[in-house]
């Protein structure tokens, strides 16, 4: 791990600079923020040192340096709670600096629900190490043995005595200079007073009153506004443009770098209009396959390789078995569909650059921009500012690349704001997934042999980052490959099964540039696996809850399944008993379960739906969810994440597919890319299981996984129709009803 | 450059614009620095840009500066502050009814408009009133609770 010193000059660059947030969530700008950031001279980013994560100011308040960021997910309070608990100080005495490449250590991207589980846990260990160091120092100061000292309310004090010394006096404004101790003793969770409390998020009041500075709101003196003019087809080349076509719009300038074309202006509206009205000519390009062809295309290759992920017992007999059940499930290409189109601000100087970005991985993209600028990595400083929720890599990193190119060309700070069409059309997409499952039951109706075959776009090994649009268009060198996240997990049944095989055909290239989208792969895989389990239960004539419980050994899994079933008021019945074919609106309930990544959260979801037979419209009436994510740092944050996981995935399941023709994405607004709306929102009953003695597992993703299967299983329960392809459009529902 | 006069958050303001078709959104965010109002689509489809014009919710991305001239505009900043939030803002804070919070401006403004017309809505009426406001994070359940809380007068 490289060690770099914090340099005050680099941070001062740019004037109205935000480096942190006050406890109230208001940005700490300019002089105030810089003074605070500079409170720990000589700070290191070496993660073997406590100083990489923590600093104490003379007044005794603590600064936490987090490489992981708050994506609207509540990390800002959760990280503070983890540190506050170990150091025995109130959360209000903690400032948090996040995702700043000059100030915070590189803890990896905030993805894969890793914020608390990896980032927070590291901060907690730093705080526990710091506590030991503070007690050792205080022992010298106070002349008392360490065993008689404790931390309380910003002091180290002697137990049962009056001697005490404040944290500020012990280390104020100087370094801890102690290595991280992975064995530093953590507080006993049984004694927690801060962790586990539903403390309010510090950023909410400022966000609710319009004071919060999102990256979209960040301004620099002399900053120009830019809009990128995208080609009408992926991979089209710019032939020429007619500057005269925007002569009537004052104060605009066209920037062209090969096929990268943009308008800049001091006036944002002028840039918007000029980008719309500029006449351009592009080459024809028809390199895409079109969304309707993806499902068939997935099986056709070319494939980079086939990989066997699970191989237990033997599934050889399945292939020729006349008794085997088989079904294929498809999940389409989807957009992150952020409500705010991506935005970034860059200020490129001759020998260094500063970039304000809502990136999930500011450290990761440092090298991408450094390469574009021909600068050493450490001369490129990224500062995280909130964007609209992203749920994976949306357009933020591309917007930052756009801004970098333009600021370099203009020698001015540039703000790039994507349009709605940019975001839905050009954000890297969630990849399509095709799964085929076959299985046989034994004489007693239990799973005997199970095989999952997957067709998934490959993830390129060791890819530095997702290739970005701007350098691509400008003809700059880029890493070659694709990134999708760990999309092959949870392809096996989470129940006892003696013979299981899971294998993947890795497709060489995705139909549209992919990236990680919330719970990568697991949404589709759990949809397939838990729908198929339901098909097996129906085939065996066994109640779906009973079918799962009788072959589920893990008690934490059993608990969430029983809890979700109790919340929905599950009445045991086999599926065939429930269909009321005569009613115009059929209602039913279904459930699904996941042990996320086979080693993280336990989640069960039960749902009640109504299906209007004539139209094929599905209404989700009620969702019950039981959720076990180990230790909950902040149960209200967990609940908010679970709510979001459920509602967002209902939206993805019922409505969402990125549509594209041979040239371009065509679902580029909110009428062609539909989202869940308020009237569609079901009643939510969420039970959070308290497991304070287990490790924290995070809550940003897991509850997405069982949603689609629970929904499809409820539709089956209501109508006998199986939905095996998302989204569950009215047409697909009607088609499935016709076959049921 | 023409000059347009309007009342913003109770104060008379004069805004210069070269184009009478410039959406009010840009005047508020850039000329006046009121960035509580958010750009979400520019198409009138998402509600993120909602403000009150003469007390009624309106989309600032499809309202031109010329149309807004002479009117009274209220933005999120004009409702209340972190120290003295409006009852609807206070109810949202109490319910922690935002995730990223990007959609929240429009939702709060629409809710204020609803409560002015219908002081005691049902949950269904709240959902219907918010049908044109998109939220991707899934804050909906809390939002409905927050609006009902504000209506019950328990927000502050
Ligand atoms: S930004 Fe105005 S409705 Fe979307
Ligand atoms: S809270 Fe993020 S879009 Fe609504």
């Amino acid at each position: 791990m490289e060690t770099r010193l914090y340099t005050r000059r680099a941070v001062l660059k740019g004037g109205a600079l935000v480096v942190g947030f006050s406890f109230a969530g208001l940005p700490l700008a300019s002089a105030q923020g810089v003074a605070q950031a500079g409170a720990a001279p000589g700070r290191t980013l070496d993660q073997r040192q406590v100083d990489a994560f923590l600093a104490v100011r003379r007044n005794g308040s603590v600064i936490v340096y987090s490489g992981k960021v708050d994506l609207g997910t509540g990390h800002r309070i959760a990280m503070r709670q983890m540190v506050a608990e170990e150091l025995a100080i109130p959360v209000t005495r903690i400032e948090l600096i996040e995702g700043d490449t000059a100030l915070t250590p590189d803890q990896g991207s905030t993805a894969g629900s890793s914020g608390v589980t990896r980032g927070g846990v590291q901060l907690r260990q730093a705080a526990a190490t710091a506590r030991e160091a503070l007690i050792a120092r205080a022992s010298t100061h106070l002349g008392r043995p360490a065993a008689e000292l404790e931390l309380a309310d910003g002091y180290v004090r002697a137990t049962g005595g009056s001697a005490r010394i404040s944290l500020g006096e012990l280390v104020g404004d100087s370094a801890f200079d102690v290595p991280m101790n992975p064995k530093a003793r953590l507080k006993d969770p049984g004694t927690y007073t801060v962790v586990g409390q539903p403390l309010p998020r510090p950023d909410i009041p400022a966000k609710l009153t319009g004071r919060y500075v999102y990256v979209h709101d960040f301004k620099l003196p002399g900053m120009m506004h830019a809009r990128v003019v995208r080609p009408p087809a992926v991979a089209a080349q710019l032939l020429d443009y007619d500057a005269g076509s925007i002569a009537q719009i004052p104060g605009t300038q066209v920037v062209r770098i090969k096929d990268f074309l943009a308008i800049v202006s001091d006036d944002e509206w002028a840039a918007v209009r000029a980008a719309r009205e500029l006449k351009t000519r592009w080459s024809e390009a028809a390199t895409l396959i079109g969304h309707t062809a993806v499902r068939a295309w997935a099986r056709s290759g070319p494939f980079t390789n086939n990989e066997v992920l699970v191989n237990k017992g033997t599934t050889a007999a399945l292939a020729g078995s006349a008794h085997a059940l088989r079904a294929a499930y498809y999940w389409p290409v989807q957009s992150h569909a952020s409500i705010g189109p991506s935005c970034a601000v860059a200020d490129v100087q001759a020998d260094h650059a500063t970039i304000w970005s809502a990136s999930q991985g500011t450290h990761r993209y440092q090298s991408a921009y450094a390469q574009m600028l021909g600068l050493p990595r450490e001369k490129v400083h990224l500062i995280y500012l909130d964007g609209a929720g992203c749920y994976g890599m949306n357009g933020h990193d591309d917007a930052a690349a756009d801004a970098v190119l333009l600021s370099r060309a203009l020698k001015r700070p540039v703000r790039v704001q994507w349009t709605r069409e940019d975001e839905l059309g050009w954000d890297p997409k969630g990849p399509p997934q095709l799964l085929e499952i076959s299985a046989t039951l034994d004489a007693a109706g239990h799973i005997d042999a199970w095989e999952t075959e997957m067709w998934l776009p490959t993830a390129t090994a060791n890819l530095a980052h997702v290739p970005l649009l701007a350098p691509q268009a400008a003809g700059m060198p880029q890493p070659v490959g694709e990134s999708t996240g760990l999309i092959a997990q949870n392809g096996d049944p989470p129940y006892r099964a003696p013979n299981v095989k899971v294998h993947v055909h890795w497709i060489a290239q995705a139909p549209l540039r992919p990236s990680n989208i919330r719970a990568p792969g697991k949404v589709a895989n759990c949809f397939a696996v838990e729908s198929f389990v339901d098909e097996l239960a129906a085939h065996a004539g066994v109640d779906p809850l009973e079918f799962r419980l009788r072959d589920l050994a893990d008690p934490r899994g059993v608990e969430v399944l029983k809890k979700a079933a109790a919340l929905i008021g599950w009445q045991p019945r086999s599926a065939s008993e429930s269909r009321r074919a005569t009613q115009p609106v059929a209602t039913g309930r279904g459930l699904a379960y996941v042990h996320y990544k086979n080693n993280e959260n336990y989640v069960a979801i039960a749902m009640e739906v109504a299906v209007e037979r004539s139209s094929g419209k599905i209404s989700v009436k009620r969702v019950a969810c039981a959720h076990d994510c180990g230790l909950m740092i902040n149960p209200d944050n967990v609940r908010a994440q679970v709510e979001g996981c459920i509602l967002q995935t209902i939206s993805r399941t019922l409505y969402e597919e990125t549509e594209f023709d041979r040239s371009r994405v065509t679902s580029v607004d909110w009428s062609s890319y539909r989202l869940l709306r308020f009237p569609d929102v079901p009643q939510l009953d969420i039970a959070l299981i308290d497991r304070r003695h287990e490790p924290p597992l995070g809550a940003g993703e897991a509850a997405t996984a069982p949603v689609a299967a629970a929904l499809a299983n409820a539709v089956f329960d209501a109508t006998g129709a199986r939905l095996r392809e998302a989204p569950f459009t009215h047409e697909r529902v009607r088609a499935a009803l016709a076959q049921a | 450059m023409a000059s347009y006069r309007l009342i913003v958050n109770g104060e008379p303001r004069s805004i210069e614009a070269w184009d009478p078709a410039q959406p009010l959104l840009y005047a508020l965010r850039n000329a006046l620095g009121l960035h509580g109002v958010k750009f979400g689509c520019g198409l009138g489809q998402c509600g993120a840009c909602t403000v009150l014009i003469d007390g009624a919710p309106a989309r600032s991305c499809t309202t031109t500066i010329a149309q807004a001239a002479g009117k009274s505009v209220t933005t999120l900043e004009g409702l209340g502050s972190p120290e003295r939030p409006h009852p609807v803002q206070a109810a949202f804070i109490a319910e922690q009814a935002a995730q990223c919070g990007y959609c929240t401006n429009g939702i709060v403004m629409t809710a204020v408009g609803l409560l002015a017309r219908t002081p005691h809505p049902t949950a269904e009426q709240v959902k219907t009133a918010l049908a044109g406001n998109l939220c991707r994070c899934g804050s909906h359940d809390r939002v409905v609770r927050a609006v009902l809380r504000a209506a019950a007068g328990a927000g502050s």
Side-chain angles (χ1 to χ4, degrees):
Chain A
M1 178 57 55
E2 94 190 282
T3 303
R4 273 188 288 115
L5 296 187
Y6 155 72
T7 69
R8 179 173 298 233
R9 205 169 51 89
V11 174
L12 267 170
K13 178 75 217 62
L17 185 63
V18 178
V19 296
F21 292 86
S22 72
F23 187 74
L26 294 167
L28 295 172
S30 60
Q32 188 194 7
V34 171
Q36 280 157 349
R43 53 174 274 96
T44 175
L45 300 183
D46 181 344
Q47 295 180 57
R48 291 168 303 189
Q49 297 292 321
V50 167
D51 292 313
F53 302 101
L54 295 173
V56 178
R57 287 216 248 100
R58 192 139 269 293
N59 69 6
S61 64
V62 170
I63 308 174
V64 173
Y65 298 93
S66 171
K68 303 274 189 193
V69 299
D70 189 323
L71 302 163
T73 41
H75 289 152
R76 245 168 229 134
I77 187 66
M79 303 294 186
R80 282 177 166 96
Q81 284 177 267
M82 293 178 88
V83 170
E85 187 69 67
E86 297 300 326
L87 290 180
I89 55 166
V91 287
T92 47
R93 306 221 53 200
I94 298 178
E95 274 151 37
L96 185 74
I97 295 179
E98 26 172 3
D100 182 319
T101 58
L103 299 175
T104 67
D106 180 1
Q107 295 177 278
S109 295
T110 312
S113 209
S114 64
V116 160
T117 49
R118 286 204 281 282
V121 162
Q122 228 174 345
L123 293 176
R124 181 173 70 177
Q125 204 59 39
T129 308
R131 182 177 55 201
E132 286 182 346
L134 289 162
I135 287 183
R137 284 194 197 183
S139 165
T140 314
H141 270 271
L142 301 173
R144 304 285 289 263
E148 290 173 17
L149 298 175
E150 64 179 9
L151 266 74
D153 209 20
Y155 291 87
V156 181
R157 66 176 190 205
T159 40
S162 59
R164 64 176 199 175
I165 181 165
S166 75
L167 268 48
E169 287 170 87
L170 278 171
V171 278
D173 293 350
S174 71
F176 280 99
D177 206 15
V178 290
M180 285 283 272
N181 175 7
K183 300 221 162 69
R185 213 158 56 87
L186 295 170
K187 244 176 128 169
D188 170 8
T191 67
Y192 280 168
T193 57
V194 182
V195 166
Q197 299 301 313
L199 299 185
R201 281 169 43 188
D203 48 339
I204 295 255
K207 285 181 171 174
L208 254 302
T209 51
R211 267 69 170 179
Y212 201 85
V213 177
Y214 290 82
V215 68
H216 304 76
D217 309 324
F218 181 73
K219 289 190 176 71
L220 289 174
M223 183 182 85
M224 299 187 86
H225 292 275
R227 292 293 184 282
V228 177
V229 181
R230 309 267 165 209
V234 172
Q237 290 166 347
L238 179 60
L239 302 176
D240 55 44
Y241 66 90
D242 171 13
S245 61
I246 54 166
Q248 74 285 6
I249 301 173
T252 55
Q253 193 179 333
V254 181
V255 177
R256 174 185 183 176
I257 306 165
K258 200 168 167 283
D259 299 320
F260 178 83
L261 186 65
I263 304 277
V264 290
S265 173
D266 291 326
D267 181 80
E268 188 172 13
W269 174 241
V272 173
R273 262 195 62 182
R276 279 185 201 158
E277 293 171 31
L278 181 69
K279 288 209 165 61
T280 54
R281 282 201 317 126
W282 301 81
S283 67
E284 301 279 328
T287 58
L288 308 179
I289 56 173
H291 71 279
T292 53
V294 175
R295 185 176 175 147
W297 159 92
R299 291 176 195 263
S300 66
F303 305 104
T304 56
N305 62 316
N306 295 336
E307 187 181 0
V308 177
L309 301 172
V310 181
N311 206 356
K312 189 171 72 167
T314 172
T315 55
L318 265 178
S321 166
H323 305 295
L325 246 65
R326 291 171 215 286
Y329 300 86
Y330 175 70
W331 197 267
V333 178
Q334 295 180 328
S335 171
H336 300 82
S338 294
I339 289 298
S342 294
C343 183
V345 176
D347 183 11
V348 176
Q349 306 279 332
D351 61 348
H352 66 275
T354 313
I355 300 157
W356 291 265
S357 166
S359 178
Q360 287 185 305
T362 47
H363 288 90
R364 189 174 191 196
Y365 281 88
Q366 222 179 342
S367 56
Y369 309 132
Q371 189 182 11
M372 287 171 68
L373 294 168
L375 288 173
R377 186 173 186 264
E378 63 273 14
K379 294 291 183 188
V380 176
H381 179 191
L382 272 86
I383 300 173
Y384 174 77
L385 292 177
D386 287 46
C390 59
Y391 335 103
M393 180 185 159
N394 67 353
H396 281 128
D397 299 298
D398 283 303
D402 297 340
V404 162
L405 267 192
L406 290 166
S407 178
R408 187 186 65 162
L410 296 158
K411 302 186 169 50
R412 296 260 304 266
V414 174
R415 170 184 182 271
V416 172
Q417 167 72 69
W418 276 25
T419 63
R420 171 54 39 213
E421 188 175 354
D422 286 340
E423 191 68 37
L424 288 170
W426 295 88
D427 79 314
K429 299 291 185 292
Q433 290 172 258
L434 178 66
L435 293 93
E436 200 170 287
I437 308 181
S438 50
T440 48
L441 300 173
D442 66 18
H446 299 261
I447 298 170
D448 179 21
W450 172 296
E451 182 173 334
T452 303
E453 193 172 4
M454 301 168 148
W455 290 264
L456 309 174
T458 193
T460 310
N462 303 318
L463 187 69
H465 58 81
V466 172
L468 299 171
L469 298 173
Q472 191 95 39
M476 296 172 151
Q478 285 245 74
V480 178
E482 298 187 342
S483 170
T484 48
L486 300 169
I487 56 175
Q489 296 164 315
N490 288 120
D492 49 340
Y495 312 105
R496 211 173 287 124
N499 306 295
V500 179
K501 183 174 181 186
V502 179
H503 56 126
V504 193
H505 309 279
W506 289 110
I507 307 167
Q509 209 185 351
L512 289 170
R513 181 180 61 138
S515 74
N516 55 317
I517 190 167
R518 198 176 200 167
K522 273 76 81 182
V523 172
N525 297 345
C526 187
F527 165 52
V529 168
E530 278 291 274
S531 291
F532 196 69
V533 165
D534 219 68
E535 301 203 27
L536 293 177
H539 191 70
V542 178
D543 172 67
L545 175 63
E546 169 61 18
F547 188 84
R548 288 170 168 85
L549 285 176
R550 68 186 192 178
D551 283 315
L552 181 54
D554 194 323
R556 289 172 74 176
V558 169
E559 182 170 347
V560 292
L561 258 173
K562 286 187 170 167
K563 185 83 201 167
L567 282 173
I568 206 89
W570 190 266
Q571 296 294 329
R573 64 182 182 230
S574 70
S576 55
E577 294 167 35
S578 65
R579 285 164 227 152
R580 282 150 282 181
T582 51
Q583 288 166 350
V585 177
T587 59
R589 81 290 185 272
L591 53 75
Y593 160 74
V594 73
H595 183 193
Y596 195 61
K597 302 181 190 173
N598 288 337
N599 60 13
E600 294 187 5
N601 309 30
Y602 300 83
V603 189
I605 287 183
M607 256 186 224
E608 196 179 289
V609 305
V611 183
E612 189 179 66
R613 291 177 182 279
S614 57
S615 64
K617 178 179 194 273
I618 299 172
S619 307
V620 180
K621 296 293 180 195
R622 214 148 66 87
V623 180
C625 173
H627 189 268
D628 171 355
C629 60
L631 170 68
M632 289 185 278
I633 310 304
N634 182 317
D636 193 51
N637 281 357
V638 170
R639 185 174 295 273
Q641 285 306 297
V642 172
E643 290 168 9
C645 283
I646 293 169
L647 295 178
Q648 188 177 89
T649 313
I650 291 175
S651 182
R652 289 176 67 183
T653 304
L654 290 182
Y655 312 118
E656 298 180 32
E657 174 165 19
T658 292
E659 300 186 348
F660 51 103
D661 57 23
R662 298 295 313 282
S663 297
R664 62 194 297 273
V665 173
T666 54
S667 50
V668 291
D669 68 6
W670 294 128
S671 58
S672 49
Y673 196 93
R674 191 182 171 219
L675 297 185
L676 179 90
R677 290 171 182 272
F678 271 92
D680 309 320
V681 171
Q683 180 187 329
L684 299 179
D685 295 306
I686 296 167
L688 304 177
I689 315 279
D690 183 14
R691 299 249 186 240
R692 61 175 51 208
H693 294 280
E694 299 290 338
L697 299 168
E701 296 187 335
T704 61
V707 168
L711 214 168
N713 295 342
V715 170
F716 176 75
D717 182 62
T719 64
R722 276 288 167 202
L723 297 170
R724 301 191 184 96
E725 179 163 352
F728 302 165
T729 58
H730 295 192
E731 298 72 51
R732 287 200 179 119
V733 174
R734 287 200 304 269
L737 285 170
Q739 280 177 20
Chain B
M1 281 278 180
S3 180
Y4 300 86
R5 303 170 83 77
L6 47 161
I7 311 283
V8 180
N9 296 332
E11 304 276 333
R13 304 298 293 254
S14 156
I15 296 167
E16 307 270 294
W18 60 271
D19 183 359
Q22 177 189 315
L24 176 62
L25 171 87
Y26 297 102
L28 294 172
R29 287 183 52 84
N30 296 332
L32 302 184
L34 295 168
H35 52 69
V37 49
K38 291 286 181 274
F39 170 76
C41 66
L43 305 166
Q45 294 179 337
C46 75
C49 64
T50 305
V51 296
L52 300 179
I53 299 183
D54 291 340
R59 311 225 140 152
S60 66
C61 74
T62 50
T63 304
T64 66
I65 185 74
Q67 288 165 336
K71 307 245 165 77
S72 172
V73 175
T74 306
T75 72
L76 195 60
E77 293 91 337
L79 286 184
S81 64
E83 300 73 35
R84 298 173 62 84
H86 179 280
V88 172
Q89 292 170 320
F92 273 68
I93 294 167
E95 294 287 351
Q96 297 281 292
Q99 288 196 30
C100 75
Y102 199 91
C103 66
T104 310
N105 165 72
I107 289 176
V108 169
M109 299 317 277
T110 307
V112 169
L114 167 71
L115 295 180
R117 295 191 312 272
T118 312
H120 297 289
T122 63
E124 289 315 305
Q125 285 174 310
V126 173
K127 288 182 179 179
T128 306
L130 292 172
N133 290 85
L134 296 176
C135 172
R136 178 56 157 170
C137 293
S139 69
H140 307 73
D141 198 48
R142 288 158 186 260
V143 163
V144 174
R145 264 188 280 133
V147 178
L148 295 176
R149 173 191 273 259
S156 45

